Structures are given as C-alpha cells and as structure tokens.
Amino acid sequence: MSHNQLDMLTDLARDARDQAGKLLAQERQTQQQTEAQLQSLNRYRVEYAERLQQAMRDGIDPATMYNYQQFLASLDAALSRARQALAAQQKRVQQSQQHWQQEQRKLSSYDTLASRRLLEEHRRQARYEQKATDDFVTSRVARQQSDKPL
C-alpha cells in the first residue's frame, strides 16, 4: 500500500469516526430529552394523583371521579410509551457507541500502520546514512593508505 493510499484511508477513517461521534452526541442528547420528558410526565402524574386524593377528601361527585381516573389512565399510558421510547433511545445510544468504537479502532489501526511505515522509513534512512558514512570512511582510509609510501 502506498503512502498516499494509507493517508487517504486514514483520512476517510477519521471522517467516519468523527461522523459516528456526532451521531453519538445527537443520540445522547435525544436520550437526555426523552429522560426529561419522562420525568416531567412522572411529576405531573404524581401531582394529578395528589389532586385526586385532595378532591376525594373534600368530597367528589362520581362524574368528576371518573374524569380523574380516565385522565390518570391516559397519563399512565403516556408514561408507558415514554418508558418504551427511552428504552429504544438507550439502545440507539448503545449502538452508536459501538459504531463509534469500531470506527475509532479502524482509525487506530491505520495510525499504527502509518507509524510503523514512518519508523521503517527512519530506519531505512539511518541505514542509508550509515552506509554512506561507512563508504566515505572506507574510501578515505583507502586513499590515505594509497598516498602513504611503502
């Protein structure tokens, strides 16, 4: 694989990892919003149930009691849907997290390959320079010996 191909693959992997990170951040934000909605519904249900209890203490007609019960039932259904939505969102966050980790591992692999290639290039350059130095010293010693009278 050429140096340019590896650079291109690394750039593509970095872009994919960044996109996966953005998606993960969005999914986490959506999860937080869903949790907040669920908490609000829970608070509202508790408040409404307390109103019903107070109305029952004060005395309540059957029609009003029925309306309270129907509304509490609709709140319970909404809470159930909100819990399901939160569970689904948590699953999406987990999947996004796994996808981001996969993209990060891919990028790390390419970075490792690039580091190894760079290290090998440095070693090759060092060997080349050492050989050039050795050749220079050898030729200099040979010239000095040939210039010496016997």
Side-chain angles (χ1 to χ4, degrees):
M1 182 181 308
S2 75
H3 184 68
N4 289 337
Q5 289 173 326
L6 185 57
D7 286 345
M8 183 176 68
L9 287 173
T10 301
D11 289 342
L12 289 172
R14 185 171 289 109
D15 290 344
R17 189 262 334 252
D18 292 347
Q19 288 300 317
K22 287 177 185 176
L23 178 61
L24 176 59
Q26 290 170 352
E27 295 292 1
R28 284 182 175 161
Q29 183 178 14
T30 301
Q31 178 180 341
Q32 289 173 348
Q33 291 169 348
T34 305
E35 287 171 345
Q37 290 170 350
L38 179 59
Q39 290 171 357
S40 292
L41 274 173
N42 271 322
R43 282 191 305 271
Y44 188 61
R45 200 230 183 259
V46 167
E47 290 171 13
Y48 204 77
E50 288 172 356
R51 286 187 207 163
L52 173 59
Q53 292 297 319
Q54 184 61 43
M56 288 171 52
R57 282 190 293 271
D58 294 343
I60 189 172
D61 65 273
T64 305
M65 176 75 160
Y66 177 79
N67 289 338
Y68 268 103
Q69 290 172 337
Q70 290 300 312
F71 190 68
L72 284 172
S74 69
L75 283 175
D76 288 339
L79 281 165
S80 178
R81 287 190 303 273
R83 285 186 196 105
Q84 290 172 353
L86 179 58
Q89 187 59 36
Q90 288 169 333
K91 186 174 183 176
R92 283 192 291 276
V93 167
Q94 183 182 20
Q95 290 169 340
S96 292
Q97 175 75 31
Q98 290 170 351
H99 179 66
W100 180 86
Q101 288 171 338
Q102 178 183 4
E103 294 299 333
Q104 179 61 35
R105 283 190 297 272
K106 188 186 304 181
L107 176 59
S108 293
S109 296
Y110 290 137
D111 283 342
T112 299
L113 285 174
S115 295
R116 287 179 185 166
R117 175 170 279 171
L118 185 61
L119 181 61
E120 184 56 37
E121 286 176 17
H122 287 305
R123 286 180 182 160
R124 196 173 313 133
Q125 184 65 29
R127 285 192 301 265
Y128 175 79
E129 290 173 3
Q130 184 63 47
K131 184 179 181 322
T133 301
D134 291 347
D135 290 347
F136 175 75
V137 169
T138 301
S139 66
R140 188 172 187 191
V141 168
R143 273 196 312 266
Q144 287 175 349
Q145 289 179 351
S146 68
D147 289 345
K148 285 186 182 177
L150 293 175

